């Protein structure tokens, strides 16, 4: 199993704080710097506006072939749920430069908590799967009504990747387990900030959480149990607020290595800072 580990987005201004990896780095060099530390990234900007070919060409160039990109579907697919044929064409064609460079990971469909398991929503998800046939599509379903073996069996039938989540213990959402529906796994660690998950005014507040070593050991154990079932596993830390993810990723790497799951750790070079 090849494990890819990174963060939700790379344009995190919090990381320009003293001692963190963007200290003294210009914004247009963030991706170049990020790619020296992490071999995967979840692209957030595509949720708000689908970048064009030139933007993706720039990402491939700046990351210097070191980083895999999981591309989040635009909100028209997951929140508005009214994509046009043009939206599908742009979403599938624009990341072409990443695919050509061997840097394209799965697409990510991040559905909101309000997307319950209803007949209409099941039909919509099936249609989405059909339109993305031939492409890896990871699906995050935040409402607990989807957290059932029969749902995962259906996803496996259509080649959809179940996104295994770690959410705060607030109830009503899927349990923190690693489930396998294809030979590619996908794990999103949101942190466990129970107090601000529903009430937080921003994503930064909701993800303001630093995992402790025991919590990283817990996830390493779960990952080790499915290692033989996967060819690849993508792990993304969403707790980028105040650099928490920068501290947690080395913890998880160490915990996985200790359990016989080999991790390829990028070498940031002579100028790299310890994180």
């Amino acid at each position: 199993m090849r494990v890819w580990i990174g963060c939700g987005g790379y344009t995190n201004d919090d990381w320009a704080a003293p001692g963190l990896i963007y200290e003294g780095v210009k914004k247009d060099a963030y991706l170049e710097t990020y790619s020296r530390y992490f071999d995967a990234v979840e692209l957030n900007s595509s949720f708000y506006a689908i970048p064009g070919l030139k933007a993706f060409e720039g990402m491939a160039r700046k990351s210097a072939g070191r980083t895999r990109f999981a591309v989040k579907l635009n909100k028209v697919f997951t929140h508005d749920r009214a994509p046009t044929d043009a939206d599908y064409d742009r979403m599938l064609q624009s990341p072409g430069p990443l695919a050509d460079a061997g840097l394209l990971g799965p697409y990510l469909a991040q559905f909101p908590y309000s997307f319950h398991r209803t007949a209409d929503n099941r039909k919509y998800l099936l249609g989405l799967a059909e339109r993305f046939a031939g492409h890896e599509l990871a699906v995050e379903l935040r409402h607990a009504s989807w957290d059932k073996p029969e749902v995962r069996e259906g996803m496996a039938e259509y080649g959809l990747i179940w996104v295994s989540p770690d959410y705060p213990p607030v109830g009503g959402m899927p349990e923190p387990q690693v489930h396998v529906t294809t030979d590619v796994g996908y794990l999103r660690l949101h942190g466990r900030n129970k107090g601000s998950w529903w009430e937080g005014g921003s994503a930064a507040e909701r993800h303001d959480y630093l995992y402790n070593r025991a919590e990283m050991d817990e996830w390493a154990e779960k990952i080790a149990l499915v290692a033989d079932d996967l060819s690849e596993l993508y792990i993304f830390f969403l707790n980028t607020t105040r650099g928490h993810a920068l501290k947690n990723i080395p913890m998880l790497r160490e915990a996985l290595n200790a359990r016989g799951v080999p991790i390829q750790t990028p070498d940031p070079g002579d100028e790299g800072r310890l994180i």
Side-chain angles (χ1 to χ4, degrees):
M1 180 179 67
R2 172 66 162 93
V3 181
W4 308 88
I5 304 180
C7 299
Y10 60 85
T11 58
N12 299 298
D13 290 334
D14 283 8
W15 299 356
L20 299 184
I21 63 174
Y22 291 166
E23 180 185 2
V25 176
K26 294 182 179 179
K27 286 191 176 184
D28 62 1
Y30 276 5
L31 179 54
E32 180 182 353
T33 302
Y34 177 97
S35 67
R36 288 160 44 198
Y37 292 92
F38 308 112
D39 56 17
V41 65
E42 200 176 73
L43 187 65
N44 285 327
S45 60
S46 51
F47 177 80
Y48 302 100
I50 304 172
L53 284 168
K54 288 187 178 180
F56 280 110
E57 287 171 358
M59 293 176 205
R61 182 180 67 256
K62 289 182 178 181
S63 61
R66 294 189 291 257
T67 302
R68 283 276 186 100
F69 289 77
V71 178
K72 188 182 292 186
L73 296 192
N74 186 265
K75 61 183 178 181
V76 72
F77 296 94
T78 55
H79 288 58
D80 302 334
R81 295 189 287 282
T84 64
D85 287 342
D87 292 323
Y88 277 105
D89 289 345
R90 187 172 175 86
M91 196 78 250
L92 289 167
Q93 294 171 11
S94 288
L98 295 180
D100 293 343
L103 302 177
L104 183 60
Y107 284 95
L108 169 66
Q110 176 191 297
F111 285 96
Y113 179 79
S114 59
F115 187 70
H116 296 190
R117 188 181 179 225
T118 65
D120 285 345
N121 287 344
R122 291 166 66 188
K123 182 179 179 180
Y124 179 80
L125 185 57
L126 174 60
L128 194 70
E130 291 173 342
R131 293 296 293 263
F132 279 85
H135 302 270
E136 292 178 339
L137 179 62
V139 181
E140 182 179 33
L141 299 161
R142 293 192 173 186
H143 194 269
S145 59
W146 296 95
D147 190 11
K148 300 178 184 299
E150 57 266 32
V151 171
R152 287 183 282 273
E153 289 170 7
M155 290 178 66
E157 181 180 347
Y158 286 93
L160 296 176
I161 302 166
W162 171 271
V163 171
S164 301
D166 189 56
Y167 300 123
V170 294
M173 295 191 292
E175 292 297 314
Q177 296 293 335
V178 181
H179 292 293
V180 175
T181 56
T182 76
D183 67 337
V184 177
Y186 202 111
L187 173 60
R188 300 188 88 211
L189 301 171
H190 292 270
R192 298 179 179 177
N193 192 338
K194 182 178 180 179
S196 67
W197 184 255
W198 298 123
E199 304 299 331
S202 67
E205 286 184 45
R206 289 191 293 275
H207 293 114
D208 188 0
Y209 186 84
L210 178 66
Y211 287 100
N212 60 42
R213 190 165 296 275
E215 289 166 336
M216 290 293 88
D217 285 341
E218 170 193 330
W219 273 110
E221 293 281 356
K222 293 176 180 179
I223 292 166
L225 289 174
V226 300
D228 292 340
D229 300 325
L230 297 170
S231 62
E232 292 183 303
L233 173 63
Y234 290 84
I235 304 173
F236 292 109
F237 284 77
L238 283 299
N239 62 332
T240 56
T241 306
R242 296 195 291 159
H244 296 319
L246 303 180
K247 302 176 179 68
N248 284 147
I249 288 176
M251 284 185 193
L252 184 61
R253 286 172 176 163
E254 182 180 333
L256 288 170
N257 277 321
R259 287 160 178 80
V261 179
I263 301 298
Q264 298 183 26
T265 303
D267 181 359
D270 294 339
E271 297 179 2
R273 298 180 178 85
L274 293 176
I275 58 173

